[in-house]
Amino acid sequence: MAAEVAVFSEDFMVNLALMGAFIPTFFLVSVSPGLCMTMAMTVGMNQGVRRALWMMAGELLGVGLVATAAVCGVAGLMLQFPQWFFYLKCLGALYLLYVAAQMWWAKGSFRLPQAGEGRRLLPRTQLFSQGFVTAVSNPKGWAFHMALLPPFIDPALAFWPQLLVLLFILLTLEFSCLLLYAAGGRVMARFFQNPAKAQWLNRICAVLMAGLALWMVMGN
């Protein structure tokens, strides 16, 4: 069975075991309440889901650029010092544990827009640039991608095919979560305004993230 998985992975130039762990890891990170998801929810409520798609397009472009730049920078370092790969995995795991700890203790409450607040329709270009600037100017996004993306790239396989697959999965998950928040609108906002419910969800995600962090260090 292991041989079959290896052959199948080589044919597609990706490590299926790493891809299998990448999807739940980045889904948890994407779906967790944060700056971009809060923006998607607010724009969805005030501008409508259709107009929120422009903000999402800008945010996805920014995330794609940040992820590519971060991974390429770290990959160049790994080519010169391949023995650092294990330490990079440990760094990614530590960062995941840090995010898990923050989520565990976070209250996670949101502020609902008041009636009539921000109802003026914004230009599409403004929505697009708002999403793009938010993605590329967020230092946590850079640190996140530099710490967590490289450990999911198998150094024994070609770099660019793996990066393209990772980006496709990452952007698909990010778009799905942005759409969920934008469409959920007021229902999700009311859910996360309840500190007990938000903390309950955060702690479930925190436990799962901690488990994934341990897998990153202990897995081959």
Side-chain angles (χ1 to χ4, degrees), residues 55-68 128 131-132 135-136 171:
M55 183 279 298
M56 296 179 204
E59 196 268 345
L60 291 175
L61 176 60
V63 167
L65 291 176
V66 169
T68 302
F128 181 89
F132 179 79
V136 300
L171 295 180

Side-chain angles (χ1 to χ4, degrees), residues 82-95:
Q83 67 274 18
W84 286 12
F85 183 70
F86 174 75
Y87 300 110
L88 189 62
K89 287 176 61 178
C90 292
L91 177 63
L94 286 174
Y95 190 81

